[in-house]
Amino acid sequence: MTSHTSKDPLHGVTLEMQVNSLVAHYGWVELSKRININCFKSDPSVKSSLKFLRRTPWARAEVEALYLASLDEVDDVKEDAPDESAEDPWSNWRGNQE
């Protein structure tokens, strides 16, 4: 039996998961600056945002685009971080005081 893998990066990611991830990553204030919609500015909540985004295709498209961009930012940060396994395990040893 073969398993089907989707090439869509949003496959299996609900709109609620996207909003929660963006709020955790940016916070409501920064999110409202990046996407100029009232549900992020005035008394923001996940529930009210989902209600608006499900009815407004252009706003949902912007949220999805920002979500994908935030995933790229996380990947870039991981690539820029030094590989901890490559560090010398003895470099922090207390007997190694010069």
Side-chain angles (χ1 to χ4, degrees):
M1 180 178 234
T2 61
S3 73
H4 179 271
T5 56
S6 176
K7 295 185 187 216
D8 180 12
L10 294 175
H11 180 76
V13 180
T14 65
L15 185 59
E16 183 176 6
M17 292 166 65
Q18 293 173 38
V19 171
N20 284 328
S21 176
L22 290 172
V23 170
H25 186 76
Y26 296 111
W28 288 112
V29 174
E30 182 62 26
L31 190 56
S32 69
K33 290 178 184 175
R34 291 177 181 259
I35 302 176
N36 189 15
I37 53 179
N38 284 336
C39 67
F40 292 160
K41 292 179 179 181
S42 176
D43 194 27
S45 72
V46 173
K47 184 177 178 180
S48 67
S49 298
L50 291 174
K51 186 175 180 179
F52 175 77
L53 293 170
R54 287 182 180 130
R55 295 179 180 181
T56 316
W58 65 265
R60 182 178 183 144
E62 287 193 28
V63 167
E64 290 173 349
L66 182 60
Y67 175 75
L68 291 174
S70 72
L71 293 179
D72 290 341
E73 287 177 15
V74 170
D75 290 342
D76 290 344
V77 169
K78 286 181 182 177
E79 288 177 4
D80 293 342
D83 184 15
E84 292 179 13
S85 63
E87 289 182 19
D88 180 15
W90 299 104
S91 63
N92 293 328
W93 182 55
R94 290 185 180 170
N96 197 14
Q97 297 173 358
E98 297 175 23

